[in-house]
Amino acid sequence: MAGYRDLYVAKRPLTFAGVEHVEGKPGYIVLGVPFDSTASYRSGQRFAPMAIREASVNLEGNGYMLDGFVDDVNLYDEGDIIVPHGNVHEMLSRVSRVVREVAEDAATPVLIGGEHTVTLGALRGLAEAGVKPCVVSLDAHFDLRSEYMGERYSHASWLRRAVEELGVKAVVVGVRAYDKEELGYAEVSDSVSYIPAWAVRTLGVKATGLRVKSFLAECREAYLTIDMDFFDPAYAPGVGNPEPGGLDVHQGLQLIAEIASTATLKGMDIVEVTPHYDQSGASSLLAAKTLQQALIAHWLAASRRR
Ligand SMILES: [Mn+2]
């Protein structure tokens, strides 16, 4: 029976890591979501799925500090979820329908954004499939605004909506930019905890990873969302809302390897690259390496469990 994946997903001329085919049933379904309609500063996230795919085919497939290669991960890149520009509700609906089908097919959805709002669609889709994960958000921002520029559904408010609509529990790691209202919300909310970027530096990556893992130990399932602005703009300048004071490449990749090695992870995404503000291509390259690293770490953890 044809489903929403047949209706909404279109093949693209390049695939993540150059994977053309996988033996047996893929464990990870990669999907681009070229959407950027609520971008408030630097836009163009709709071009990121192809830029990150292009970077990925020009990188070697080895993990950093991980004994594995992305080539061994049983992933399949189905293409992009075709979403209408300017219609955030239709985008969320299509992403949630496709992600639901992937989850019901016992595969792990791996989204390449697009702006951060796409994560709300993924969480809705997982919830419809009976998966209610706790969320680890690696992000310079809380994304907890009640509304942003009059819009309730945006890259700056998706996590607030996920808490309100889905009862999501979340930890935001690397945060360092917020307004008073969302900081107040984060401080009193039982649903959201956070580890500021400065605390990651003080604690160290290992201790931060352990803190995140102890949070996830209370949850049946987990979801990892990586906003590329979590890295310092020295390493990832091409993002929608760059903010100084982020993690460096080695800190970031080590932390992601720790967190993604959570066997209960049911989905992940990487968002907010803006290729036209990424003249050197460094941000897309780092996004591709980051996604490789997360996939290898999770695949190794899941293989150990089998
Ligand atoms: Mn974000």
Side-chain angles (χ1 to χ4, degrees), residues 2 4 30 33 35-36 59 81 90 124 138 163 193 202 225 245 268-269 275:
Y4 289 115
V30 178
V33 189
F35 186 80
D36 57 11
L59 284 168
I81 304 175
E90 182 63 19
R124 282 184 183 170
L138 305 183
V163 170
S193 57
T202 312
T225 177
M268 64 175 99
D269 64 52

Side-chain angles (χ1 to χ4, degrees), residues 26 57 81 144 229 235:
V57 300
I81 304 175
L144 280 173
D229 68 27
Y235 307 98

